[in-house]
PDB file of all heavy atoms in Angstrom:
ATOM      1  N   PHE A 245      54.880  73.272  -9.273  1.00  0.00           N
ATOM      2  CA  PHE A 245      53.993  73.453  -8.104  1.00  0.00           C
ATOM      3  C   PHE A 245      54.033  72.276  -7.302  1.00  0.00           C
ATOM      4  O   PHE A 245      54.110  72.361  -5.970  1.00  0.00           O
ATOM      5  CB  PHE A 245      52.648  73.800  -8.628  1.00  0.00           C
ATOM      6  CG  PHE A 245      51.601  74.014  -7.549  1.00  0.00           C
ATOM      7  CD1 PHE A 245      51.548  75.064  -6.699  1.00  0.00           C
ATOM      8  CD2 PHE A 245      50.662  72.975  -7.360  1.00  0.00           C
ATOM      9  CE1 PHE A 245      50.587  75.288  -5.673  1.00  0.00           C
ATOM     10  CE2 PHE A 245      49.724  73.174  -6.356  1.00  0.00           C
ATOM     11  CZ  PHE A 245      49.706  74.235  -5.473  1.00  0.00           C
ATOM     12  N   TYR A 246      53.804  71.151  -7.778  1.00  0.00           N
ATOM     13  CA  TYR A 246      53.749  69.861  -7.130  1.00  0.00           C
ATOM     14  C   TYR A 246      55.089  69.488  -6.495  1.00  0.00           C
ATOM     15  O   TYR A 246      55.218  68.712  -5.467  1.00  0.00           O
ATOM     16  CB  TYR A 246      53.037  68.817  -7.806  1.00  0.00           C
ATOM     17  CG  TYR A 246      51.486  69.038  -8.021  1.00  0.00           C
ATOM     18  CD1 TYR A 246      50.987  69.346  -9.322  1.00  0.00           C
ATOM     19  CD2 TYR A 246      50.747  68.926  -6.952  1.00  0.00           C
ATOM     20  CE1 TYR A 246      49.627  69.503  -9.372  1.00  0.00           C
ATOM     21  CE2 TYR A 246      49.399  69.223  -6.980  1.00  0.00           C
ATOM     22  CZ  TYR A 246      48.809  69.399  -8.266  1.00  0.00           C
ATOM     23  OH  TYR A 246      47.437  69.719  -8.407  1.00  0.00           O
ATOM     24  N   LEU A 247      56.097  69.820  -7.254  1.00  0.00           N
ATOM     25  CA  LEU A 247      57.439  69.687  -6.549  1.00  0.00           C
ATOM     26  C   LEU A 247      57.699  70.465  -5.425  1.00  0.00           C
ATOM     27  O   LEU A 247      58.155  69.949  -4.443  1.00  0.00           O
ATOM     28  CB  LEU A 247      58.481  70.059  -7.801  1.00  0.00           C
ATOM     29  CG  LEU A 247      59.941  70.083  -7.253  1.00  0.00           C
ATOM     30  CD1 LEU A 247      60.531  68.692  -6.985  1.00  0.00           C
ATOM     31  CD2 LEU A 247      60.910  70.778  -8.315  1.00  0.00           C
ATOM     32  N   LEU A 248      57.254  71.725  -5.491  1.00  0.00           N
ATOM     33  CA  LEU A 248      57.422  72.537  -4.211  1.00  0.00           C
ATOM     34  C   LEU A 248      56.637  71.956  -3.080  1.00  0.00           C
ATOM     35  O   LEU A 248      57.010  71.881  -2.030  1.00  0.00           O
ATOM     36  CB  LEU A 248      56.774  73.954  -4.607  1.00  0.00           C
ATOM     37  CG  LEU A 248      56.598  74.953  -3.472  1.00  0.00           C
ATOM     38  CD1 LEU A 248      58.068  75.318  -2.895  1.00  0.00           C
ATOM     39  CD2 LEU A 248      55.935  76.207  -3.912  1.00  0.00           C
ATOM     40  N   LEU A 249      55.322  71.551  -3.324  1.00  0.00           N
ATOM     41  CA  LEU A 249      54.462  71.101  -2.219  1.00  0.00           C
ATOM     42  C   LEU A 249      55.088  69.773  -1.790  1.00  0.00           C
ATOM     43  O   LEU A 249      54.987  69.426  -0.608  1.00  0.00           O
ATOM     44  CB  LEU A 249      53.048  70.761  -2.719  1.00  0.00           C
ATOM     45  CG  LEU A 249      52.244  72.016  -3.098  1.00  0.00           C
ATOM     46  CD1 LEU A 249      50.789  71.572  -3.428  1.00  0.00           C
ATOM     47  CD2 LEU A 249      52.221  73.107  -2.018  1.00  0.00           C
ATOM     48  N   GLY A 250      55.615  68.918  -2.648  1.00  0.00           N
ATOM     49  CA  GLY A 250      56.168  67.540  -2.218  1.00  0.00           C
ATOM     50  C   GLY A 250      57.489  67.793  -1.365  1.00  0.00           C
ATOM     51  O   GLY A 250      57.557  67.186  -0.325  1.00  0.00           O
ATOM     52  N   LEU A 251      58.351  68.696  -1.788  1.00  0.00           N
ATOM     53  CA  LEU A 251      59.416  69.027  -0.965  1.00  0.00           C
ATOM     54  C   LEU A 251      59.134  69.705   0.293  1.00  0.00           C
ATOM     55  O   LEU A 251      59.729  69.212   1.389  1.00  0.00           O
ATOM     56  CB  LEU A 251      60.426  70.009  -1.714  1.00  0.00           C
ATOM     57  CG  LEU A 251      61.099  69.282  -2.938  1.00  0.00           C
ATOM     58  CD1 LEU A 251      61.795  70.510  -3.870  1.00  0.00           C
ATOM     59  CD2 LEU A 251      62.096  68.287  -2.556  1.00  0.00           C
ATOM     60  N   LEU A 252      58.122  70.519   0.450  1.00  0.00           N
ATOM     61  CA  LEU A 252      57.738  71.155   1.707  1.00  0.00           C
ATOM     62  C   LEU A 252      57.101  70.068   2.639  1.00  0.00           C
ATOM     63  O   LEU A 252      57.387  70.078   3.789  1.00  0.00           O
ATOM     64  CB  LEU A 252      56.618  72.224   1.342  1.00  0.00           C
ATOM     65  CG  LEU A 252      57.117  73.499   0.763  1.00  0.00           C
ATOM     66  CD1 LEU A 252      56.002  74.442   0.524  1.00  0.00           C
ATOM     67  CD2 LEU A 252      58.033  74.200   1.724  1.00  0.00           C
ATOM     68  N   ALA A 253      56.403  69.019   1.997  1.00  0.00           N
ATOM     69  CA  ALA A 253      55.920  67.864   2.873  1.00  0.00           C
ATOM     70  C   ALA A 253      57.076  67.060   3.368  1.00  0.00           C
ATOM     71  O   ALA A 253      56.978  66.685   4.647  1.00  0.00           O
ATOM     72  CB  ALA A 253      54.863  67.003   2.037  1.00  0.00           C
ATOM     73  N   VAL A 254      58.044  66.730   2.501  1.00  0.00           N
ATOM     74  CA  VAL A 254      59.211  65.957   3.080  1.00  0.00           C
ATOM     75  C   VAL A 254      59.983  66.848   4.161  1.00  0.00           C
ATOM     76  O   VAL A 254      60.487  66.222   5.122  1.00  0.00           O
ATOM     77  CB  VAL A 254      60.047  65.680   1.899  1.00  0.00           C
ATOM     78  CG1 VAL A 254      61.411  65.024   2.355  1.00  0.00           C
ATOM     79  CG2 VAL A 254      59.452  64.683   0.892  1.00  0.00           C
ATOM     80  N   ARG A 255      60.108  68.010   3.891  1.00  0.00           N
ATOM     81  CA  ARG A 255      60.725  68.928   4.912  1.00  0.00           C
ATOM     82  C   ARG A 255      59.914  68.746   6.199  1.00  0.00           C
ATOM     83  O   ARG A 255      60.545  68.626   7.239  1.00  0.00           O
ATOM     84  CB  ARG A 255      60.717  70.478   4.460  1.00  0.00           C
ATOM     85  CG  ARG A 255      61.103  71.507   5.414  1.00  0.00           C
ATOM     86  CD  ARG A 255      61.008  72.808   4.992  1.00  0.00           C
ATOM     87  NE  ARG A 255      61.537  73.909   5.864  1.00  0.00           N
ATOM     88  CZ  ARG A 255      60.858  74.718   6.496  1.00  0.00           C
ATOM     89  NH1 ARG A 255      59.512  74.643   6.313  1.00  0.00           N
ATOM     90  NH2 ARG A 255      61.375  75.520   7.342  1.00  0.00           N
ATOM     91  N   ARG A 256      58.723  68.885   6.302  1.00  0.00           N
ATOM     92  CA  ARG A 256      57.847  68.787   7.541  1.00  0.00           C
ATOM     93  C   ARG A 256      58.006  67.469   8.084  1.00  0.00           C
ATOM     94  O   ARG A 256      58.229  67.345   9.460  1.00  0.00           O
ATOM     95  CB  ARG A 256      56.400  69.023   7.185  1.00  0.00           C
ATOM     96  CG  ARG A 256      55.541  68.943   8.315  1.00  0.00           C
ATOM     97  CD  ARG A 256      55.729  69.990   9.335  1.00  0.00           C
ATOM     98  NE  ARG A 256      54.856  69.868  10.635  1.00  0.00           N
ATOM     99  CZ  ARG A 256      53.616  70.440  10.640  1.00  0.00           C
ATOM    100  NH1 ARG A 256      53.175  71.085   9.658  1.00  0.00           N
ATOM    101  NH2 ARG A 256      52.944  70.203  11.721  1.00  0.00           N
ATOM    102  N   LEU A 257      58.119  66.277   7.205  1.00  0.00           N
ATOM    103  CA  LEU A 257      58.300  65.044   7.796  1.00  0.00           C
ATOM    104  C   LEU A 257      59.636  64.914   8.466  1.00  0.00           C
ATOM    105  O   LEU A 257      59.688  64.301   9.577  1.00  0.00           O
ATOM    106  CB  LEU A 257      58.265  64.099   6.517  1.00  0.00           C
ATOM    107  CG  LEU A 257      56.937  63.615   6.098  1.00  0.00           C
ATOM    108  CD1 LEU A 257      57.105  62.720   4.814  1.00  0.00           C
ATOM    109  CD2 LEU A 257      56.151  62.778   7.087  1.00  0.00           C
ATOM    110  N   LEU A 258      60.740  65.370   7.789  1.00  0.00           N
ATOM    111  CA  LEU A 258      62.052  65.140   8.479  1.00  0.00           C
ATOM    112  C   LEU A 258      62.169  66.019   9.783  1.00  0.00           C
ATOM    113  O   LEU A 258      62.686  65.474  10.715  1.00  0.00           O
ATOM    114  CB  LEU A 258      63.085  65.660   7.410  1.00  0.00           C
ATOM    115  CG  LEU A 258      63.329  64.711   6.187  1.00  0.00           C
ATOM    116  CD1 LEU A 258      64.242  65.334   5.157  1.00  0.00           C
ATOM    117  CD2 LEU A 258      63.649  63.279   6.498  1.00  0.00           C
ATOM    118  N   ARG A 259      61.592  67.146   9.713  1.00  0.00           N
ATOM    119  CA  ARG A 259      61.660  67.992  11.027  1.00  0.00           C
ATOM    120  C   ARG A 259      60.838  67.457  12.040  1.00  0.00           C
ATOM    121  O   ARG A 259      61.215  67.337  13.252  1.00  0.00           O
ATOM    122  CB  ARG A 259      61.249  69.489  10.628  1.00  0.00           C
ATOM    123  CG  ARG A 259      61.920  70.189   9.655  1.00  0.00           C
ATOM    124  CD  ARG A 259      63.524  70.557  10.129  1.00  0.00           C
ATOM    125  NE  ARG A 259      63.312  71.680  10.982  1.00  0.00           N
ATOM    126  CZ  ARG A 259      63.910  71.550  12.235  1.00  0.00           C
ATOM    127  NH1 ARG A 259      64.439  70.365  12.550  1.00  0.00           N
ATOM    128  NH2 ARG A 259      63.996  72.507  13.105  1.00  0.00           N
ATOM    129  N   ASP A 260      59.689  66.861  11.726  1.00  0.00           N
ATOM    130  CA  ASP A 260      58.898  66.184  12.714  1.00  0.00           C
ATOM    131  C   ASP A 260      59.558  64.937  13.238  1.00  0.00           C
ATOM    132  O   ASP A 260      59.267  64.543  14.429  1.00  0.00           O
ATOM    133  CB  ASP A 260      57.525  65.873  12.223  1.00  0.00           C
ATOM    134  CG  ASP A 260      56.513  67.064  12.088  1.00  0.00           C
ATOM    135  OD1 ASP A 260      56.979  68.272  12.440  1.00  0.00           O
ATOM    136  OD2 ASP A 260      55.470  66.914  11.627  1.00  0.00           O
ATOM    137  N   THR A 261      60.185  64.264  12.452  1.00  0.00           N
ATOM    138  CA  THR A 261      60.956  63.067  12.835  1.00  0.00           C
ATOM    139  C   THR A 261      62.119  63.338  13.742  1.00  0.00           C
ATOM    140  O   THR A 261      62.681  62.430  14.348  1.00  0.00           O
ATOM    141  CB  THR A 261      61.415  62.267  11.561  1.00  0.00           C
ATOM    142  OG1 THR A 261      60.161  62.094  10.751  1.00  0.00           O
ATOM    143  CG2 THR A 261      61.886  60.919  12.046  1.00  0.00           C
ATOM    144  N   GLY A 262      62.651  64.537  13.782  1.00  0.00           N
ATOM    145  CA  GLY A 262      63.682  65.047  14.741  1.00  0.00           C
ATOM    146  C   GLY A 262      64.993  65.288  14.043  1.00  0.00           C
ATOM    147  O   GLY A 262      65.992  65.569  14.803  1.00  0.00           O
ATOM    148  N   PHE A 263      64.955  65.355  12.757  1.00  0.00           N
ATOM    149  CA  PHE A 263      66.279  65.746  12.036  1.00  0.00           C
ATOM    150  C   PHE A 263      66.386  67.236  12.252  1.00  0.00           C
ATOM    151  O   PHE A 263      65.516  67.957  12.149  1.00  0.00           O
ATOM    152  CB  PHE A 263      66.225  65.253  10.602  1.00  0.00           C
ATOM    153  CG  PHE A 263      66.217  63.788  10.500  1.00  0.00           C
ATOM    154  CD1 PHE A 263      65.200  63.161  10.140  1.00  0.00           C
ATOM    155  CD2 PHE A 263      67.398  63.146  10.636  1.00  0.00           C
ATOM    156  CE1 PHE A 263      65.123  61.691   9.947  1.00  0.00           C
ATOM    157  CE2 PHE A 263      67.385  61.712  10.514  1.00  0.00           C
ATOM    158  CZ  PHE A 263      66.201  61.025  10.169  1.00  0.00           C
ATOM    159  N   SER A 264      67.724  67.598  12.357  1.00  0.00           N
ATOM    160  CA  SER A 264      68.045  69.042  12.466  1.00  0.00           C
ATOM    161  C   SER A 264      67.709  69.802  11.024  1.00  0.00           C
ATOM    162  O   SER A 264      67.606  69.172  10.142  1.00  0.00           O
ATOM    163  CB  SER A 264      69.540  69.162  12.816  1.00  0.00           C
ATOM    164  OG  SER A 264      70.393  68.762  11.642  1.00  0.00           O
ATOM    165  N   GLU A 265      67.728  71.096  11.339  1.00  0.00           N
ATOM    166  CA  GLU A 265      67.521  71.996  10.173  1.00  0.00           C
ATOM    167  C   GLU A 265      68.570  71.674   9.042  1.00  0.00           C
ATOM    168  O   GLU A 265      68.386  71.686   7.848  1.00  0.00           O
ATOM    169  CB  GLU A 265      67.522  73.454  10.514  1.00  0.00           C
ATOM    170  CG  GLU A 265      67.100  74.400   9.477  1.00  0.00           C
ATOM    171  CD  GLU A 265      65.704  74.441   9.066  1.00  0.00           C
ATOM    172  OE1 GLU A 265      64.919  73.646   9.743  1.00  0.00           O
ATOM    173  OE2 GLU A 265      65.396  74.970   8.035  1.00  0.00           O
ATOM    174  N   GLY A 266      69.793  71.618   9.439  1.00  0.00           N
ATOM    175  CA  GLY A 266      70.947  71.349   8.575  1.00  0.00           C
ATOM    176  C   GLY A 266      70.835  70.022   7.802  1.00  0.00           C
ATOM    177  O   GLY A 266      71.000  69.933   6.520  1.00  0.00           O
ATOM    178  N   ILE A 267      70.493  68.903   8.501  1.00  0.00           N
ATOM    179  CA  ILE A 267      70.408  67.596   7.964  1.00  0.00           C
ATOM    180  C   ILE A 267      69.161  67.585   7.058  1.00  0.00           C
ATOM    181  O   ILE A 267      69.352  67.137   5.807  1.00  0.00           O
ATOM    182  CB  ILE A 267      70.233  66.541   8.954  1.00  0.00           C
ATOM    183  CG1 ILE A 267      71.510  66.377   9.784  1.00  0.00           C
ATOM    184  CG2 ILE A 267      69.800  65.254   8.358  1.00  0.00           C
ATOM    185  CD1 ILE A 267      72.632  65.819   8.994  1.00  0.00           C
ATOM    186  N   THR A 268      68.149  68.348   7.319  1.00  0.00           N
ATOM    187  CA  THR A 268      66.909  68.289   6.587  1.00  0.00           C
ATOM    188  C   THR A 268      67.192  69.094   5.275  1.00  0.00           C
ATOM    189  O   THR A 268      66.901  68.665   4.098  1.00  0.00           O
ATOM    190  CB  THR A 268      65.709  69.002   7.232  1.00  0.00           C
ATOM    191  OG1 THR A 268      65.433  68.356   8.512  1.00  0.00           O
ATOM    192  CG2 THR A 268      64.579  69.143   6.350  1.00  0.00           C
ATOM    193  N   ALA A 269      67.899  70.209   5.379  1.00  0.00           N
ATOM    194  CA  ALA A 269      68.190  71.025   4.244  1.00  0.00           C
ATOM    195  C   ALA A 269      69.116  70.350   3.175  1.00  0.00           C
ATOM    196  O   ALA A 269      69.022  70.333   1.907  1.00  0.00           O
ATOM    197  CB  ALA A 269      68.945  72.316   4.628  1.00  0.00           C
ATOM    198  N   LEU A 270      70.076  69.573   3.739  1.00  0.00           N
ATOM    199  CA  LEU A 270      71.038  68.810   2.868  1.00  0.00           C
ATOM    200  C   LEU A 270      70.307  67.708   2.283  1.00  0.00           C
ATOM    201  O   LEU A 270      70.556  67.323   1.021  1.00  0.00           O
ATOM    202  CB  LEU A 270      72.196  68.430   3.765  1.00  0.00           C
ATOM    203  CG  LEU A 270      73.404  67.755   3.028  1.00  0.00           C
ATOM    204  CD1 LEU A 270      73.978  68.741   1.942  1.00  0.00           C
ATOM    205  CD2 LEU A 270      74.557  67.356   3.890  1.00  0.00           C
ATOM    206  N   THR A 271      69.523  67.037   2.934  1.00  0.00           N
ATOM    207  CA  THR A 271      68.697  65.925   2.353  1.00  0.00           C
ATOM    208  C   THR A 271      68.014  66.395   1.151  1.00  0.00           C
ATOM    209  O   THR A 271      67.894  65.817   0.172  1.00  0.00           O
ATOM    210  CB  THR A 271      67.854  65.322   3.404  1.00  0.00           C
ATOM    211  OG1 THR A 271      68.679  64.847   4.518  1.00  0.00           O
ATOM    212  CG2 THR A 271      66.927  64.087   2.737  1.00  0.00           C
ATOM    213  N   LEU A 272      67.103  67.516   1.471  1.00  0.00           N
ATOM    214  CA  LEU A 272      66.153  68.007   0.321  1.00  0.00           C
ATOM    215  C   LEU A 272      67.141  68.473  -0.842  1.00  0.00           C
ATOM    216  O   LEU A 272      66.666  68.247  -2.023  1.00  0.00           O
ATOM    217  CB  LEU A 272      65.437  69.232   1.002  1.00  0.00           C
ATOM    218  CG  LEU A 272      64.506  68.895   1.905  1.00  0.00           C
ATOM    219  CD1 LEU A 272      63.861  70.150   2.633  1.00  0.00           C
ATOM    220  CD2 LEU A 272      63.299  68.061   1.437  1.00  0.00           C
ATOM    221  N   LEU A 273      68.277  69.095  -0.601  1.00  0.00           N
ATOM    222  CA  LEU A 273      69.035  69.621  -1.682  1.00  0.00           C
ATOM    223  C   LEU A 273      69.670  68.468  -2.521  1.00  0.00           C
ATOM    224  O   LEU A 273      69.657  68.493  -3.710  1.00  0.00           O
ATOM    225  CB  LEU A 273      70.108  70.497  -1.072  1.00  0.00           C
ATOM    226  CG  LEU A 273      71.004  71.228  -2.144  1.00  0.00           C
ATOM    227  CD1 LEU A 273      70.030  72.260  -2.813  1.00  0.00           C
ATOM    228  CD2 LEU A 273      72.071  71.932  -1.469  1.00  0.00           C
ATOM    229  N   LEU A 274      70.135  67.483  -1.831  1.00  0.00           N
ATOM    230  CA  LEU A 274      70.797  66.305  -2.578  1.00  0.00           C
ATOM    231  C   LEU A 274      69.761  65.525  -3.320  1.00  0.00           C
ATOM    232  O   LEU A 274      70.019  65.077  -4.428  1.00  0.00           O
ATOM    233  CB  LEU A 274      71.516  65.468  -1.510  1.00  0.00           C
ATOM    234  CG  LEU A 274      72.785  66.125  -1.011  1.00  0.00           C
ATOM    235  CD1 LEU A 274      73.360  65.119   0.074  1.00  0.00           C
ATOM    236  CD2 LEU A 274      73.754  66.706  -1.956  1.00  0.00           C
ATOM    237  N   ILE A 275      68.595  65.286  -2.838  1.00  0.00           N
ATOM    238  CA  ILE A 275      67.582  64.629  -3.488  1.00  0.00           C
ATOM    239  C   ILE A 275      66.965  65.341  -4.659  1.00  0.00           C
ATOM    240  O   ILE A 275      66.706  64.925  -5.762  1.00  0.00           O
ATOM    241  CB  ILE A 275      66.556  64.101  -2.504  1.00  0.00           C
ATOM    242  CG1 ILE A 275      67.043  62.870  -1.654  1.00  0.00           C
ATOM    243  CG2 ILE A 275      65.310  63.509  -3.310  1.00  0.00           C
ATOM    244  CD1 ILE A 275      66.076  62.463  -0.619  1.00  0.00           C
ATOM    245  N   GLY A 276      66.866  66.682  -4.411  1.00  0.00           N
ATOM    246  CA  GLY A 276      66.229  67.607  -5.316  1.00  0.00           C
ATOM    247  C   GLY A 276      67.035  67.867  -6.504  1.00  0.00           C
ATOM    248  O   GLY A 276      66.505  67.908  -7.601  1.00  0.00           O
ATOM    249  N   VAL A 277      68.315  67.977  -6.472  1.00  0.00           N
ATOM    250  CA  VAL A 277      69.041  68.367  -7.635  1.00  0.00           C
ATOM    251  C   VAL A 277      70.100  67.204  -7.986  1.00  0.00           C
ATOM    252  O   VAL A 277      70.678  67.162  -8.967  1.00  0.00           O
ATOM    253  CB  VAL A 277      69.931  69.601  -7.475  1.00  0.00           C
ATOM    254  CG1 VAL A 277      68.945  70.808  -7.379  1.00  0.00           C
ATOM    255  CG2 VAL A 277      70.802  69.525  -6.367  1.00  0.00           C
ATOM    256  N   GLY A 278      70.198  66.085  -7.071  1.00  0.00           N
ATOM    257  CA  GLY A 278      71.069  65.131  -7.314  1.00  0.00           C
ATOM    258  C   GLY A 278      70.466  63.788  -7.825  1.00  0.00           C
ATOM    259  O   GLY A 278      71.157  62.760  -7.906  1.00  0.00           O
ATOM    260  N   THR A 279      69.196  63.792  -8.035  1.00  0.00           N
ATOM    261  CA  THR A 279      68.456  62.518  -8.551  1.00  0.00           C
ATOM    262  C   THR A 279      67.544  62.937  -9.785  1.00  0.00           C
ATOM    263  O   THR A 279      67.384  64.152 -10.111  1.00  0.00           O
ATOM    264  CB  THR A 279      67.546  61.942  -7.451  1.00  0.00           C
ATOM    265  OG1 THR A 279      66.423  62.866  -7.361  1.00  0.00           O
ATOM    266  CG2 THR A 279      68.281  61.879  -6.148  1.00  0.00           C
ATOM    267  N   ASN A 280      66.954  61.822 -10.402  1.00  0.00           N
ATOM    268  CA  ASN A 280      66.168  62.211 -11.549  1.00  0.00           C
ATOM    269  C   ASN A 280      64.711  62.733 -11.306  1.00  0.00           C
ATOM    270  O   ASN A 280      64.094  63.145 -12.144  1.00  0.00           O
ATOM    271  CB  ASN A 280      65.958  60.940 -12.403  1.00  0.00           C
ATOM    272  CG  ASN A 280      65.448  59.785 -11.640  1.00  0.00           C
ATOM    273  OD1 ASN A 280      65.490  59.827 -10.324  1.00  0.00           O
ATOM    274  ND2 ASN A 280      64.963  58.732 -12.315  1.00  0.00           N
ATOM    275  N   LEU A 281      64.614  63.060  -9.915  1.00  0.00           N
ATOM    276  CA  LEU A 281      63.471  63.925  -9.567  1.00  0.00           C
ATOM    277  C   LEU A 281      63.528  65.259 -10.288  1.00  0.00           C
ATOM    278  O   LEU A 281      62.494  65.844 -10.736  1.00  0.00           O
ATOM    279  CB  LEU A 281      63.376  64.118  -8.009  1.00  0.00           C
ATOM    280  CG  LEU A 281      62.387  65.115  -7.487  1.00  0.00           C
ATOM    281  CD1 LEU A 281      60.894  64.687  -7.834  1.00  0.00           C
ATOM    282  CD2 LEU A 281      62.580  65.375  -5.990  1.00  0.00           C
TER     283      LEU A 281
END
């Protein structure tokens, strides 16, 4: 549950900062399954 909320918050951060949908998606995916998170 908190993983979901955390990723959604990061998604909002990246989109608000001006990153595209594709860059945001790739960032979330790589950090989400490519790190010890």
Side-chain angles (χ1 to χ4, degrees):
F245 175 76
Y246 289 111
L247 172 68
L248 173 64
L249 294 186
L251 291 171
L252 288 174
V254 173
R255 174 180 181 257
R256 179 67 180 271
L257 277 173
L258 295 177
R259 299 294 284 125
D260 283 359
T261 305
F263 292 104
S264 70
E265 185 71 11
I267 292 295
T268 299
L270 189 56
T271 300
L272 293 168
L273 191 64
L274 294 181
I275 290 178
V277 296
T279 73
N280 55 345
L281 173 64

